[in-house]
Amino acid sequence: LASVAWVPATHTKALPMVGGVSLVDTLRDSALAAPLELNMEASQLSEGDLQLLGLALLRTTSLTLNFAQCRGLTVDGCKVLGQGIATSPDLTTIRLTLDSCLGADPAAIEGIAKGVAVCNLEELSCSLRYCEVNEEVVRRLVAQPKGRALQKLSLDLAWCRGVTDEVLGRLAEGLEPCKCLASLSLDLRQEHQEYEFGAGGLKALARSLSVLPSISSLSLRLDNSPVFTQDVSSILSAAICAWPLRYLALHLPGGGDPYEDERAAEELARGLESQPPLEALHLDLGGWHLTPEGAA
């Protein structure tokens, strides 16, 4: 087998059984050394399912798990799954979707993140929409164990609870050592006027990005953001000047203060003017209060 992908026709049952043997039992017994993709969206999972899944990962090289809206992802179950991920020495790619499935307990996410933290990954994608996070979760997700050369990172924290200035500070600390990082996607959208972080957290994040030498692709989403100020824009603009960028997507609709919007736009323009022609540019400043000169 070159790879395994299982997408259930319905999302009402747990892992399939054939003759009393589960899919995960089969994968574990085959010691599959290949990419593994499981779409378990809206399923009911047991701790036993997660334990067997952890065992099945022993030789997996690439792991894609969709647990969005799943039930049964307890703290203990996620800890077991994290242990399985941690003991998979060949894993270089992890893609996790945990949207809307972990209730209000960030300790469940932390159990998985502990496993991710020790893997020598080249690519990590983690979507935690509508979950709750804390500093420890973010610290472990972006940890840099010795030997890791992370090249691609996507972290989706849209509409998460607990995304504070301190959490963004942890994210910034974790990103600074990622000197091989070439592609970064961050979704930090929150409900309008309900942002738990401010310009201080964004400035810390922007400063950490400015020391990364190899960013060729950046996507940043802050919809309805009142916190993308001139200071933040200035730091990000300096980083853009230094990067070998090919793709840039900035989704920053919302705006707020006309003076801040105008100055922030000017800073962004300086960064973009310094770049060679980009292969792709997506710029969303809907709602910003700009003069014709600022827009130009």
Side-chain angles (χ1 to χ4, degrees):
L1 284 174
S3 65
V4 169
W6 180 63
V7 183
T10 61
H11 302 313
T12 56
K13 295 183 178 180
L15 298 173
M17 303 286 288
V18 179
V21 179
S22 77
L23 171 67
V24 170
D25 282 326
T26 304
L27 294 175
R28 179 196 59 192
D29 294 341
S30 67
L32 183 72
L36 173 62
E37 177 182 348
L38 289 178
N39 183 352
M40 301 298 301
E41 185 171 345
S43 297
Q44 175 68 51
L45 298 171
S46 70
E47 192 170 319
D49 288 331
L50 296 173
Q51 187 169 18
L52 287 172
L53 181 56
L55 293 172
L57 303 179
L58 185 58
R59 294 182 59 203
T60 302
T61 55
S62 173
L63 175 64
T64 302
L65 292 178
N66 183 0
F67 284 161
Q69 302 178 59
C70 277
R71 299 172 301 282
L73 283 171
T74 62
V75 173
D76 289 340
C78 289
K79 181 179 179 181
V80 168
L81 178 58
Q83 289 169 346
I85 292 173
T87 54
S88 305
D90 298 326
L91 267 177
T92 58
T93 298
I94 294 179
R95 303 182 187 96
L96 297 174
T97 301
L98 300 169
D99 301 348
S100 304
C101 69
L102 293 171
D105 195 342
I109 310 173
E110 188 179 334
I112 298 175
K114 284 180 179 179
V116 173
V118 300
C119 295
N120 290 325
L121 299 176
E122 296 174 4
E123 177 181 344
L124 172 62
S125 174
C126 189
S127 181
L128 298 168
R129 290 186 177 190
Y130 299 104
C131 294
E132 182 171 351
V133 297
N134 57 25
E135 294 179 52
E136 193 63 17
V137 166
V138 171
R139 184 184 72 82
R140 291 186 182 277
L141 282 175
V142 295
Q144 276 292 105
K146 186 176 181 180
R148 177 184 284 190
L150 191 66
Q151 299 172 23
K152 186 175 182 179
L153 173 64
S154 175
L155 189 58
D156 189 339
L157 301 177
W159 304 294
C160 275
R161 296 180 301 280
V163 184
T164 62
D165 282 338
E166 290 74 20
V167 165
L168 291 188
R170 285 291 190 181
L171 177 58
E173 291 172 10
L175 287 173
E176 281 190 14
C178 299
K179 302 304 183 184
C180 297
L181 195 65
S183 176
L184 176 63
S185 176
L186 294 174
D187 192 335
L188 301 174
R189 288 178 288 175
Q190 303 279 285
E191 296 295 338
H192 187 47
Q193 301 299 338
E194 293 186 11
Y195 275 69
E196 295 182 66
F197 61 88
L202 273 185
K203 282 193 283 188
L205 182 58
R207 287 192 191 98
S208 72
L209 298 181
S210 67
V211 302
L212 301 180
S214 306
I215 298 292
S216 60
S217 174
L218 174 68
S219 174
L220 177 64
R221 297 191 73 114
L222 284 166
D223 289 10
N224 297 317
S225 171
V227 296
F228 193 85
T229 61
Q230 176 188 358
D231 290 343
V232 176
S233 183
S234 176
I235 298 168
L236 184 60
S237 177
I240 289 173
C241 290
W243 289 334
L245 269 181
R246 298 196 308 271
Y247 173 86
L248 178 63
L250 295 175
H251 300 273
L252 307 169
D257 180 85
Y259 178 83
E260 286 286 352
D261 290 350
E262 187 78 5
R263 304 287 84 75
E266 289 176 1
E267 293 293 347
L268 274 180
R270 289 193 185 96
L272 292 171
E273 286 172 350
S274 70
Q275 277 289 327
L278 297 166
E279 293 178 15
L281 171 64
H282 300 269
L283 190 60
D284 183 353
L285 304 179
W288 282 37
H289 299 81
L290 298 179
T291 64
E293 292 76 14

